Amino acid sequence: MAKYDPARVEAKWRDRWARDKTDQVDLVGARRPFYNLMMFPYPSAEGLHVGNLFAFVGSDIQGRYHRLLGYDVFEPMGFDAFGMHSENFALKVNRHPAEMVPKNIERFRETQLKKVGLMLDWSHQVDTTSPEYYRWTQWMFVTLLKNGLAYRKTGPVNWCPSCNTVLAAEQVIDGECERCSTQVTKREMAQWYFRTTAYAKELLEELDTLDWSERTKVAQRNWIGRSFGAEVTFEVVGGPKFNIFTTRPDTLFGATYMVFSPEHPLLDSITTPERVQALADYRQQASRLSEVDRQAENREKTGVFTGALAINPVNGEKIPIWAADYVLMGYGTGAIMAVPAHDERDHAFAKKFNLPIVEVVDSGVGWDCQKEVYPGDGPLINSGSFNGLTAKGAGQEAIVESLASQGLAKKTVNYRLRDWCVSRQRYWGPPIPVIYCEKCGPVPAPEKDLPVLLPTLEDYRPDGSGLSPLARSPEFLRATCPNCGGPGRRETDVSDNFLCSAWYFYRYPSTQFADRPFDPELTKKWLPVDLYVGGNEHAVLHLLYSRWLCRALHSCGFLDFAEPYKKFVAHGMIVRDGAKMSKSRGNIINPDAYISEFGADAFRMYLMFMGAYLEGGDFRDGGVKAMKGFLDRLLVAVLPEEGETLGQDPPQDAETLYWLHSVIKAVGADIARFSYNTAIARLMELVNHLTKNKIKNQVIAEALTRLLAPFAPHLAEELWEALGHRESVFKSSWPEYDEAATQRPEVEYVIQINGKVRGRLNLAKGLTQEELEPLVLADPTVIKWLAGKSVARKIYVPDKLFNLVVN
RNA sequence: GCGAGAGUGGCGGAAUUGGCAGACGCACCGGCCUUAGGAGCCGGCGGCUUAGGCUAUGGGGGUUCAAAUCCCCCCUCUCGCACCA
């Protein structure tokens, strides 16, 4: 067997694994459970993307490695098949998603996923579009609603005119739809929301305790966005009191005007009659702007005076109230005090509308506040009795304390996070299980009536009316109120696809239970997830939503933990020849072609070798072939020739022992830190050493086979069998190493003169400075370099180097 | 603008703690074998060089016996947030 035929070998082991249920785990009887989760794909018609495979293989290596370490590894897979990705494609090819999705799932599983050699337990597959699954997605909604964590609200929402639906804040990227990159517009609509903000504090603070990729945590921190400050109460002259939020209460004496967001409800009652028309015009103008235009960089400030005045609580001054769209209704209280001397945006506004600018923080360098902003720190000036105190420090404390004693201020923390808008005016999703009754209002569908089945609509096209296509089905609409039995009407929106994916990992261990979303016992045993591997693009989408849902279910008493993933690892992105892959560039990698030509093992190994897993890699065309060449060499290096028998005794010579044990140690350590490229490099070094020195031995062959197994499972099985084993290599164990043997008996001591390498000495390990020094000084090159000089200092690093400092 | 990460040969990328820069691989060059090579095997491979060395990890300073690694300044790229008060 000089070379092997991957097609034959891989098919053989695929069948064997299926026959022997090698990839399944006894969920109930497992003693050392390890839940190895990878982000499930949506079954697109294009087929599995190489990016999916990169993610899966990197995760599978962990699963297989832990299996060899003796864990009972549960590695499930499913399909995130509801949502616009599936629906839009069905629309494009003019078919029905209910017809396309099962076919795509079948193809994903049978012709792609099963050929990659992933250790997946297909007896626990999840399909989010099956009624058995979305019944519980709807149960989540009902449960949240009953516990006050879901609510309906009318307000401005993000609308994607191309997808014809509203979007959550997280799904608007730079003012564009996350899915189709169309500019998002504002629309006033009644929608269902989940109270993500209820856990903003916990979601932020618990991040510190999580073993997650740092960049994922940073993205969540930015998104949740905490800022410290104070809420200060102002009063409209002859009108009501209102609160503003500021992070700079120390600059209160510098507030020369107030700004309300155009959507602020108080504007209606305080605007003076002669300004009403101007305000109405401005509001009209502001609402027409798209999200992109409104957020455009350095946009010219706009605004309108309301005619009303407010009283500054610290000095009693009457200052004008303006409405301007640079103040957002969704953040803080929707109203601010403007301090143009010390805030860039207020400064720009004040300059444009000729509003007074009063400096209250001494810059100390003669800053001209009429011309420029001074945002920094310093002693307070023009601030009455607070003069001289440090702004941001003592000044801030004193002003807030003083106002607080009169009930006019309190310290506040504000979050940028918004509640999650979950309504979608589309067809391909789980219907929101709510019935509207004229008498009782919105009533959750009774649990016994779940699932509210998604009807098969011939015409499921979204129409942009703001209503889901389900609204066009009279049979679906009709319902009776679960409360009073009177006539009712069904909610016709479906829920955001991210709700389906926010809980799928609770379902995997419990797919056999029809009467509960997840079994308490199995959940206790298997969750939280031990290791979750996925793409960082979900940092503030899926990962945030699922953390929130976990916390919500925890507080409702359904889970005894509040964080769903013990460890999350964000893998990198693959590019090809240094460029992003895209259909328009025509540089998409087709995994199937490589797998059928070189085998899944070679493809897996090349994907893992081409770069650091956590950073991503650059796919080069020749790489897979080269990796197949390595596997051929490995096979020759490991297996006996025709008629040859392998030595059964462990190798004796120190050099071979060193190679074997140091590679075992390094490969394990590398896998543990997701450094697959260096682990594979180690395997190559070992094979090179064996080939070069013509070393063949049963002990080495078995060790190398097991080290290879997480990366190239089919070939490892084939070798393991050829080495005389009947059971799967994955029922064996990870090879052990002897720490003493990982050190060479001889080491190379580097001799430096003034920090420059001038020689090397191969000598016994562990020499003391006294032992080494005469040998160093006797070295001919050293003698040459020391001629006519004197040694000022000697530095000895044990087993490594001897540095002579000479003048 | 704020935050995070990165910048190393022709290329992808290595380098647990400050201690031999360039592991491993690709490409390339030379040799062997061959009717042939898009096969296999062996060897070479940062740059300069007067062959002793010198120089080299984005640029410039610094700390140190010793810096890809630590500190300061600057440049470039990627990602996240961004009119968030």
Side-chain angles (χ1 to χ4, degrees):
Chain A
M1 194 161 50
K3 276 190 195 179
Y4 78 107
D5 170 18
R8 186 187 60 77
V9 168
E10 292 177 3
K12 169 182 163 186
W13 289 100
R14 230 164 25 236
D15 293 346
R16 190 79 65 86
W17 290 333
R19 187 193 75 193
D20 298 344
K21 298 186 176 7
T22 313
D23 297 338
Q24 296 185 21
V25 65
D26 174 9
L27 288 170
V28 176
R31 274 191 243 152
R32 294 178 73 194
F34 185 87
Y35 192 165
N36 191 47
L37 183 68
M38 43 193 108
M39 286 184 179
F40 67 164
Y42 61 88
S44 69
E46 285 87 4
L48 215 48
H49 186 263
V50 67
N52 295 128
L53 284 188
F54 180 73
F56 295 159
V57 169
S59 170
D60 186 60
I61 288 168
Q62 293 293 324
R64 291 186 179 278
Y65 173 63
H66 280 85
R67 173 97 181 245
L68 283 162
L69 287 177
Y71 289 92
D72 298 297
V73 177
F74 180 44
E75 192 172 295
M77 180 53 74
F79 299 95
D80 187 19
F82 260 146
M84 284 187 268
H85 38 72
S86 296
E87 186 181 322
N88 286 349
F89 185 79
L91 279 169
K92 199 170 115 194
V93 298
N94 204 21
R95 305 283 278 280
H96 199 278
E99 174 204 344
M100 301 290 293
V101 161
K103 281 186 192 160
N104 288 342
I105 287 181
E106 167 92 1
R107 201 172 101 238
F108 259 62
R109 189 184 54 231
E110 297 305 322
T111 73
Q112 296 200 287
L113 284 167
K114 285 193 178 173
K115 291 204 174 151
V116 183
L118 303 168
M119 199 176 70
L120 298 172
D121 184 347
W122 286 108
S123 66
H124 287 267
Q125 179 191 306
V126 151
D127 165 10
T128 57
T129 65
S130 73
E132 301 81 58
Y133 183 87
Y134 74 74
R135 167 186 183 183
W136 300 112
T137 306
Q138 292 174 339
W139 177 88
M140 297 285 156
F141 190 100
V142 168
T143 302
L144 293 168
L145 182 54
K146 285 177 179 167
N147 285 276
L149 289 164
Y151 65 95
R152 190 171 160 84
K153 179 186 84 174
T154 302
V157 290
N158 300 300
W159 174 265
C160 174
S162 163
C163 295
N164 282 312
T165 181
V166 301
L167 301 171
E170 289 80 11
Q171 292 151 29
V172 181
I173 314 289
D174 293 331
E176 294 177 355
C177 172
E178 176 238 351
R179 290 213 48 77
C180 67
S181 298
T182 304
Q183 277 202 13
V184 166
T185 58
K186 286 282 175 197
R187 220 161 147 164
E188 186 87 358
M189 288 170 75
Q191 302 288 303
W192 287 99
Y193 291 84
F194 288 163
R195 275 187 216 285
T196 41
T197 55
Y199 300 124
K201 182 170 184 280
E202 291 85 347
L203 288 170
L204 185 71
E205 286 173 358
E206 285 301 306
L207 277 176
D208 295 338
T209 70
L210 294 179
D211 181 9
W212 279 30
S213 294
E214 193 55 33
R215 59 202 172 109
T216 313
K217 294 209 239 181
V218 166
Q220 287 208 357
R221 274 190 204 110
N222 283 341
W223 186 257
I224 297 169
R226 169 160 57 185
S227 46
F228 294 96
E231 258 186 37
V232 181
T233 304
F234 282 68
E235 189 178 347
V236 180
V237 174
K241 292 185 172 180
F242 63 94
N243 288 345
I244 59 101
F245 173 72
T246 177
T247 54
R248 292 296 302 273
D250 49 297
T251 60
L252 208 45
F253 281 85
T256 54
Y257 64 101
M258 312 295 294
V259 186
F260 282 35
S261 162
E263 293 93 18
H264 201 291
L266 204 58
L267 285 175
D268 294 317
S269 55
I270 64 168
T271 303
T272 55
E274 70 277 13
R275 305 295 304 162
V276 165
Q277 189 54 48
L279 177 72
D281 292 346
Y282 182 69
R283 280 176 150 177
Q284 175 85 39
Q285 174 200 325
S287 70
R288 264 204 305 269
L289 284 176
S290 75
E291 194 80 347
V292 166
D293 294 337
R294 182 156 170 175
Q295 291 179 359
E297 212 165 329
N298 297 328
R299 202 182 125 230
E300 179 90 352
K301 293 276 180 294
T302 61
V304 62
F305 178 47
T306 63
L309 299 174
I311 299 167
N312 186 335
V314 285
N315 55 14
E317 277 186 25
K318 292 178 181 148
I319 57 179
I321 299 176
W322 286 65
D325 66 3
Y326 81 93
V327 173
L328 311 171
M329 193 58 221
Y331 186 77
T333 62
I336 63 157
M337 66 173 194
V339 185
H342 306 292
D343 181 280
E344 214 174 316
R345 296 150 299 179
D346 298 344
H347 193 269
F349 192 85
K351 292 308 279 187
K352 176 158 177 187
F353 294 103
N354 260 322
L355 293 156
I357 301 172
V358 176
E359 191 168 15
V360 290
V361 180
D362 185 2
S363 68
V365 291
W367 211 285
D368 182 356
C369 73
Q370 300 303 322
K371 287 192 182 133
E372 280 184 294
V373 184
Y374 177 69
D377 208 348
L380 290 174
I381 51 175
N382 302 322
S383 298
S385 60
F386 302 112
N387 276 344
L389 294 172
T390 321
K392 290 183 183 175
Q396 183 158 125
E397 291 291 324
I399 288 175
V400 174
E401 289 296 316
S402 155
L403 286 168
S405 66
Q406 306 161 60
L408 290 172
K410 63 168 197 262
K411 284 188 191 172
T412 313
V413 176
N414 242 308
Y415 297 92
R416 187 186 165 283
L417 183 72
R418 312 288 170 79
D419 281 341
W420 175 11
C421 174
V422 293
S423 305
R424 294 294 178 272
Q425 290 70 42
R426 294 290 295 247
Y427 168 68
W428 193 238
I432 289 175
V434 166
I435 294 153
Y436 296 98
C437 168
E438 274 177 32
K439 272 189 261 167
C440 313
V443 180
E447 284 181 32
K448 66 173 173 54
D449 293 348
L450 300 182
V452 175
L453 284 171
L454 179 69
T456 309
L457 293 189
E458 275 311 307
D459 178 17
Y460 61 90
R461 221 162 282 272
D463 55 20
S465 64
L467 288 176
S468 155
L470 291 178
R472 303 196 296 255
S473 165
E475 306 86 67
F476 180 78
L477 267 176
R478 205 176 306 125
T480 48
C481 172
N483 254 4
C484 67
R489 175 179 59 81
R490 280 199 192 284
E491 165 69 61
T492 54
D493 285 353
V494 299
S495 65
D496 183 4
N497 180 231
F498 280 103
L499 179 59
C500 305
S501 57
W503 74 279
Y504 74 108
F505 47 92
Y506 305 115
R507 185 65 186 163
Y508 279 138
S510 298
T511 45
Q512 65 274 37
F513 296 101
D515 62 342
R516 62 202 92 161
F518 42 84
D519 178 67
E521 285 304 307
L522 284 176
T523 302
K524 204 181 187 83
K525 182 157 190 149
W526 286 94
L527 284 133
V529 168
D530 291 284
L531 174 63
Y532 196 16
V533 172
N536 208 41
E537 67 274 15
H538 283 112
V540 297
L541 291 160
H542 161 64
L543 286 169
L544 188 61
Y545 295 141
S546 56
R547 283 187 69 213
W548 176 81
L549 184 65
C550 182
R551 210 157 271 283
L553 291 171
H554 173 66
S555 74
C556 299
F558 294 100
L559 293 173
D560 59 7
F561 51 89
E563 287 288 343
Y565 321 113
K566 281 184 207 159
K567 184 176 171 76
F568 172 75
V569 172
H571 61 72
M573 297 269 284
I574 302 187
V575 297
R576 184 176 199 175
D577 301 319
K580 267 187 187 166
M581 276 181 281
S582 68
K583 276 183 225 164
S584 56
R585 263 183 254 254
N587 62 348
I588 304 268
I589 299 161
N590 176 8
D592 300 0
Y594 288 95
I595 290 175
S596 57
E597 187 169 1
F598 302 108
D601 284 340
F603 192 62
R604 282 171 66 110
M605 286 193 69
Y606 178 62
L607 287 181
M608 295 300 106
F609 183 68
M610 67 186 177
Y613 186 66
L614 304 182
E615 260 125 68
D618 190 354
F619 189 94
R620 301 284 159 133
D621 209 31
V624 187
K625 184 181 180 178
M627 195 55 80
K628 171 65 167 65
F630 167 67
L631 293 177
D632 287 333
R633 284 198 300 282
L634 182 146
L635 186 137
V636 171
V638 160
L639 290 186
E641 304 278 342
E642 193 75 29
E644 186 188 9
T645 351
L646 289 184
Q648 300 293 311
D649 296 329
Q652 297 300 317
D653 76 288
E655 186 68 7
T656 302
L657 284 172
Y658 159 76
W659 274 100
L660 180 61
H661 289 265
S662 63
V663 168
I664 293 173
K665 180 180 180 179
V667 171
D670 284 349
I671 292 177
R673 64 190 176 104
F674 293 81
S675 183
Y676 301 140
N677 53 340
T678 56
I680 292 168
R682 292 295 189 168
L683 296 178
M684 289 172 168
E685 282 184 280
L686 181 56
V687 169
N688 289 347
H689 176 78
L690 297 177
T691 307
K692 191 175 246 176
N693 298 288
K694 299 185 172 36
I695 298 163
K696 271 194 196 180
N697 169 286
Q698 180 81 13
V699 174
I700 296 176
E702 290 192 352
L704 182 51
T705 299
R706 288 176 290 162
L707 294 180
L708 179 73
F711 303 96
H714 310 88
L715 179 60
E717 291 279 34
E718 187 72 6
L719 295 171
W720 193 244
E721 188 183 55
L723 289 167
H725 296 275
R726 293 224 193 102
E727 286 220 296
S728 165
V729 67
F730 296 101
K731 295 197 168 162
S732 70
S733 61
W734 191 248
E736 287 177 7
Y737 64 88
D738 176 5
E739 180 63 39
T742 64
Q743 307 289 327
R744 277 201 161 99
E746 278 210 336
V747 294
E748 189 175 67
Y749 292 90
V750 171
I751 305 169
Q752 292 185 341
I753 309 240
N754 286 343
K756 296 212 158 128
V757 181
R758 298 300 181 195
R760 299 149 200 281
L761 289 172
N762 278 304
L763 293 166
K765 189 171 147 46
L767 292 185
T768 63
Q769 179 164 358
E770 291 68 33
E771 288 167 328
L772 185 60
E773 192 174 328
L775 300 168
V776 168
L777 292 173
D779 186 88
T781 16
V782 173
I783 291 167
K784 194 185 78 186
W785 278 95
L786 290 187
K789 308 212 166 131
S790 61
V791 176
R793 232 179 120 180
K794 301 163 199 163
I795 288 131
Y796 175 54
V797 182
D799 296 332
K800 279 195 178 144
L801 133 169
F802 202 102
N803 187 14
L804 295 166
V805 184
V806 303
N807 54 23

